[in-house]
C-alpha cells in the first residue's frame, strides 16, 4: 500500500509541546539505530520524511507525521527517540522517560505501538520490560523485526517464532526490511486493523 500523502507535523522535546491529538496515532519504538525512521519513510512512501542516520541516537525529539493512508483514513505516526544508547541516555536520563511515559501512558489518541527489534539482536531486557507496560495501558503492540535482509531467508522465520515466544504476545512479528522492500504491506494491514477496532481499556496507570 502506498499512502496518498504524508507530511511532517511537529517535533516536541517536552510533553507541553505535544500537539493536540487530531487523528488516531501509531508510535514507533525501539532501540537506537533499529531503523525506526527508515521504517516510517518506507511506510509513508516518502524517503526524506523522517531523518535517518548511521549514528545511533539521531532522533532525540518526538516527531509527528501525518499520513493520509486512504481517502477515508488519516493517521499520525509518532517517531520516538530510541532507547538503549548510552551516550544519549546519559544526557537525557531525566528527560527521556517522562517524555515517553507522558506520550505512551496518557494519550488516548495513541492506539498502537510498533515495537521494532533488530532481527540480529532479538529480544533484550528493555523489550521484556516494555511490552507488559504497553499492554497494561490498552495499547496494541505490533512487533516488527527490522533489517531482515541481514539474515538469509531460511533463518528468518525460525527467529521470528523464537521472538514471538519470548515476547509472550500472540502476534507473530512482521519481517521487515527497507533494503528488500519487505513487510510494508503487512505492517500497513496490521496498523489499519488496529485503528478500525475499538480501543481496549487501560488495565493500570502505574503497572
Ligand atoms: P535513532 O533515531 O538514532 O534511534 O535510529 P532509528 O531507529 O531511527 O534508525 P534509522 O532509521 O536512522 O536507521 C539506522 C541505520 O540502519 C541507518 O544506517 C539505516 O540505513 C539502517 N537501516 C535501516 N533500515 C534498514 C534495513 O531494513 N536494512 C538494512 N540493512 N539497514 C537498515
Ligand atoms: Mg530515528
Amino acid at each position: 500500500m502506498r499512502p496518498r500523502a504524508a507530511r511532517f507535523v511537529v517535533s516536541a522535546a517536552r510533553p507541553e509541546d505535544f500537539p493536540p491529538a487530531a487523528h488516531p496515532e501509531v508510535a514507533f519504538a525501539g532501540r537506537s539505530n533499529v531503523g525506526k525512521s527508515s521504517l516510517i519513510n518506507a511506510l509513508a512512501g516518502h524517503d526524506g520524511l523522517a531523518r535517518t542516520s548511521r549514528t545511533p541516537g539521531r532522533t532525540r525529539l518526538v516527531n509527528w507525521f501525518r499520513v493520509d493512508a486512504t481517502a477515508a483514513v488519516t493517521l499520525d505516526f509518532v517517531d520516538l527517540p530510541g532507547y538503549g544508547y548510552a551516550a544519549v541516555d546519559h544526557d537525557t536520563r531525566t528527560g527521556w522517560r517522562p517524555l515517553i511515559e507522558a506520550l505512551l501512558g496518557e494519550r488516548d489518541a495513541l492506539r498502537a505501538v510498533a515495537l521494532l527489534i533488530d532481527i540480529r539482536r532479538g529480544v533484550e531486557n528493555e523489550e521484556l520490560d516494555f511490552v507488559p507496560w504497553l499492554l497494561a495501558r490498552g495499547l496494541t503492540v505490533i512487533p516488527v523485526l527490522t533489517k531482515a535482509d541481514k539474515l538469509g531467508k531460511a533463518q528468518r522465520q525460525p527467529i521470528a517464532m523464537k521472538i514471538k515466544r519470548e515476547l509472550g504476545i500472540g502476534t507473530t512479528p512482521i519481517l521487515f526490511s527497507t533494503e528488500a522492500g519487505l513487510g510494508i504491506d503487512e505492517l500497513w494491514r496490521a496498523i489499519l486493523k488496529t485503528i478500525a477496532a475499538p480501543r481496549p481499556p487501560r488495565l493500570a496507570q502505574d503497572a
Side-chain angles (χ1 to χ4, degrees), residues 26-41:
V26 180
F28 297 85
R31 188 172 289 282
S32 277
N33 209 45
V34 70
K36 297 176 293 298
S37 301
S38 304
L39 176 144
I40 287 176
N41 290 338

Side-chain angles (χ1 to χ4, degrees), residues 100-183:
I100 299 301
E101 288 183 354
L103 185 90
L104 299 179
E106 294 167 19
R107 227 173 138 83
D108 283 337
L110 187 72
R111 300 294 310 281
V113 176
L115 179 61
L116 278 55
I117 297 170
D118 186 320
I119 196 165
R120 297 163 305 173
R121 288 187 75 132
V123 175
E124 294 174 86
N125 286 338
E126 286 87 346
E127 288 82 27
L128 293 176
D129 289 345
F130 206 20
V131 167
W133 191 92
L134 294 168
L135 296 175
R137 283 159 181 77
L139 294 163
T140 297
V141 177
I142 305 174
V144 179
L145 304 183
T146 62
K147 309 193 188 183
D149 57 279
K150 298 274 193 183
L151 289 187
K153 281 189 184 152
Q155 294 172 281
R156 296 174 193 167
Q157 207 57 42
I159 289 196
M161 289 305 147
K162 176 170 180 278
I163 290 175
K164 177 182 180 178
R165 282 196 301 277
E166 288 169 350
L167 290 175
I169 50 178
T171 327
T172 303
I174 296 174
L175 295 169
F176 198 93
S177 166
T178 54
E179 295 284 312
L182 183 69

Side-chain angles (χ1 to χ4, degrees), residues 36-38 51-52 58-59 79-80:
K36 297 176 293 298
S37 301
S38 304
R51 287 183 67 188
T52 62
R58 172 83 239 177
T59 310
D79 189 8
L80 299 176

